[in-house]
């Protein structure tokens, strides 16, 4: 498809330096197939971050395009309130089979941010129907990212995302983040740091455990720069939650669907959540879709609390379980299954991490973290924090590799269909750029 982009003025771009992008350095992608994008100037860029952690099966998969096309021709929209269509039930069955333990019920949203808002509201309602409406507090974590809506940025702990918008929702406290100087250059889970989970215990001591509705964390903090939980950390959070009746929400928007070495990070780390949020790879990134998985206990408490013909949860989106998104989701899940892509991710992860940790030789690289098919390395700041990161983002793009930059951390998360040669191409290009710093 060809679209004219001769006037960039009217689109206010998200999380973008708009003036610089439009005036100095527009980066427009006009084609993305498999692992390779092509830019408006015709140069090739290998995708080292699965779009934005979205596309483990690679871009422009024909099976997904065909399924969406067929669905849109049959029925392009259907009201999701008090009505349904078969594809959403089929997709839920498939997703429930992947989800950990008794997380068997799936509520659809259009993004990860909406999934987080939905999860927080489910937590409040669950306690309310059980007569514990006093549980109004949430516990998040420094450097966490849970999207950009009000609940999400409030429980999140990325300073820039918060300080532009004042207070956020009330009643939120943050545990310390899990980065420790002594854990620099750890591959996989660090040995030390489980005790950082005791911050949750301290909040229970100070505020009363029975005032806290939920604790929300990313199993591996993704967007901020891949902070892998120390051994025992998530287990300890689970124990404290159990002690006080607090729900544990694992935000698996990045980790879900094979990224960390199992279906979900919950299984990879052997930790039982009460609620799981997901998005991104649910549809291989092809159509926007998010979802919340909840346990049998939560679903039945809430649905059985209301009289027979009453709506149980006053919440939902016009586009919840949109037919096109369900079709994309089903096609994506079929690809993952047929091509054994989660297994493939486990196999190629060793090579990916070898190449990632090889960057340790470079003096400008001050830390590296990674697990499964997710990793990050930090560049020594050059002047103000983030200046070198922004420069690296542009220079890597110009050199032909797409990454995601947060401050001076560079994130990498290749698609699971990547071969060793593709991973070499990604890291050779990255190395070529940072060798000059
Ligand atoms: C852990 C986590 N939660 C929530 C979100 C927000 O998702 P979205 O951008 O689809 O709203 C993200 C996005 O990267 C994420 O990584």
């Amino acid at each position: 498809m060809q679209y004219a982009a001769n006037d960039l003025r009217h689109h206010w771009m998200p999380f973008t330096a708009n003036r610089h992008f439009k005036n100095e350095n527009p980066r427009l992608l006009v084609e993305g197939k498999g692992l390779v994008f092509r830019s408006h100037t015709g140069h090739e860029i290998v995708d080292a971050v699965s779009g934005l952690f979205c596309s483990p099966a690679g871009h422009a998969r024909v099976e997904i395009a065909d399924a969406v096309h067929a669905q849109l021709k049959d029925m392009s929209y259907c009201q999701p309130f008090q009505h349904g269509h078969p594809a959403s039930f089929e997709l839920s069955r498939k997703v429930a089979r992947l989800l950990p333990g008794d997380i068997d019920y799936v509520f659809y949203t259009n993004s990860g941010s909406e999934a987080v808002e939905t999860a927080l509201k489910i937590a409040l309602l669950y306690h309310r129907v059980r007569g514990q409406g006093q549980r109004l507090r949430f516990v998040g974590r420094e450097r966490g990212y849970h999207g950009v809506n009000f609940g999400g940025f409030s429980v999140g702990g990325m300073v820039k995302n918060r300080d532009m918008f004042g207070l956020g929702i009330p009643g939120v406290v943050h545990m310390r983040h899990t980065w420790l100087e002594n854990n620099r250059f750890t591959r996989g889970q660090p040995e030390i740091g489980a005790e950082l989970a005791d911050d949750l215990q301290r909040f229970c001591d100070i505020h009363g455990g029975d005032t806290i509705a939920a604790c929300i964390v990313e199993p591996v903090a993704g967007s901020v720069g891949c902070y892998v939980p120390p051994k025992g950390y998530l287990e300890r959070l689970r124990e404290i939650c159990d002690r006080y009746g607090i729900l544990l929400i694992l935000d698996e928007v990045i980790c879900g669907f094979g990224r960390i070495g199992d279906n979900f990070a919950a299984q990879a780390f052997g930790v039982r959540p009460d609620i799981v949020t997901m998005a991104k790879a649910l549809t291989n990134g092809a159509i926007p879709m998010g979802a919340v998985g909840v346990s049998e206990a939560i679903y039945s408490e809430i649905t059985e609390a209301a009289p027979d013909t009453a709506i149980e949860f006053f919440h939902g989106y016009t586009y919840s379980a949109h037919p096109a998104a369900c079709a994309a989701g089903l096609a994506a899940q079929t690809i993952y299954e047929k091509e054994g892509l989660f297994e493939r991710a486990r196999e190629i992860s060793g090579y990916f991490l070898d190449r990632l940790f090889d960057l340790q030789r470079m003096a400008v690289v001050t830390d590296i973290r990674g697990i499964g098919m997710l990793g990050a390395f930090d560049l020594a700041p050059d002047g103000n924090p983030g200046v070198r990161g922004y420069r690296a983002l542009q220079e890597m793009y110009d050199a032909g590799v797409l990454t995601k930059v947060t401050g001076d951390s560079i994130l990498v998360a290749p698609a699971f269909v990547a071969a060793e040669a593709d991973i070499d191409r990604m890291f050779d290009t990255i190395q070529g750029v940072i060798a000059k710093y």
Side-chain angles (χ1 to χ4, degrees), residues 111-113 116 145-147 218 223 251 253-254 280:
S111 65
S113 296
V116 168
Y145 182 63
H146 301 293
E218 301 160 87
S223 295
D251 185 348
V253 166
I254 288 179
K280 298 192 185 270

Side-chain angles (χ1 to χ4, degrees), residues 57-364:
H59 299 292
R61 293 294 303 245
V62 172
E63 305 91 317
I64 301 178
D66 288 348
V68 170
H69 186 227
Q71 177 60 58
L72 289 177
K73 283 199 299 182
D74 281 350
M75 182 174 72
S76 56
Y77 180 75
C78 138
Q79 193 195 131
F81 307 155
Q82 308 279 22
H83 301 80
H85 63 93
S88 70
F89 295 94
E90 177 63 9
L91 180 59
S92 308
R93 193 178 62 86
K94 273 188 188 271
V95 171
R97 278 210 310 250
L98 296 175
L99 281 162
D102 70 341
I103 308 286
D104 276 344
Y105 297 86
V106 183
F107 189 101
Y108 290 101
T109 69
N110 306 290
S111 65
S113 296
E114 288 179 357
V116 168
E117 303 304 300
T118 302
L120 299 177
K121 286 169 83 175
I122 289 173
L124 292 176
L125 181 58
Y126 168 75
H127 292 302
R128 179 178 282 252
V129 300
R130 301 176 79 225
Q132 299 203 7
Q134 84 286 354
R135 289 185 184 265
L136 295 171
R137 289 183 208 277
F138 291 108
V139 176
R141 192 170 59 193
E142 290 171 352
R143 301 196 192 178
Y145 182 63
H146 301 293
V148 292
N149 292 347
F150 261 90
F153 90 69
S154 304
V155 293
M158 287 175 79
V159 175
K160 281 278 174 216
N161 295 359
R162 301 169 53 85
D163 72 359
M164 289 184 174
F165 311 108
L167 297 177
I169 63 169
V172 176
V173 284
H174 291 82
M175 302 179 288
R176 281 168 295 171
H177 62 75
T178 59
W179 185 84
L180 292 172
E181 174 73 32
N182 287 345
N183 288 336
R184 283 191 313 130
F185 297 107
T186 301
R187 179 169 165 158
Q189 289 191 268
E191 293 293 331
I192 55 171
E195 66 287 354
L196 289 163
D198 292 338
D199 284 3
L200 179 58
Q201 176 64 52
R202 291 175 58 199
F203 297 144
C204 292
D205 296 341
I206 294 167
H207 302 294
D210 65 350
T211 68
I212 299 173
C215 170
I216 179 167
V217 290
E218 301 160 87
V220 178
S223 295
V224 76
C226 187
Y227 295 108
V228 183
K231 286 184 183 158
Y233 174 87
L234 291 171
E235 293 88 327
R236 206 180 285 198
L237 282 186
R238 178 73 264 177
E239 273 166 38
I240 301 168
C241 285
D242 281 345
R243 204 173 303 145
Y244 294 94
I246 298 166
L247 296 178
L248 180 62
I249 304 173
L250 292 186
D251 185 348
E252 298 233 24
V253 166
I254 288 179
C255 298
F257 303 104
R259 180 67 55 194
I260 304 302
D262 209 322
N263 300 344
F264 283 82
Q267 289 120 335
F269 296 126
V271 173
R272 178 180 55 81
D274 298 295
I275 301 180
V276 173
T277 49
M278 68 203 97
K280 298 192 185 270
L282 176 54
T283 63
N284 199 42
I287 300 275
M289 186 177 227
V292 183
V294 304
S295 65
E296 167 72 44
I298 292 176
Y299 179 80
S300 48
E301 283 284 357
I302 292 177
T303 54
E304 282 162 26
D308 251 5
T309 57
I311 291 169
E312 301 114 354
F313 182 30
F314 278 80
H315 180 82
Y317 302 94
T318 297
Y319 300 118
S320 283
H322 189 282
C326 290
L330 279 166
Q333 299 303 324
T334 303
I335 294 173
Y336 300 160
E337 227 173 87
K338 270 199 184 150
E339 297 182 8
L341 282 191
F342 300 171
E343 178 57 30
R344 165 95 191 111
R346 273 194 291 276
E347 282 163 20
I348 193 80
S349 158
Y351 192 77
F352 160 67
L353 294 174
D354 285 349
R355 284 301 314 250
L356 173 67
F357 279 82
D358 199 36
L359 297 175
Q360 189 167 351
R361 294 184 285 115
M362 311 189 82
V364 73

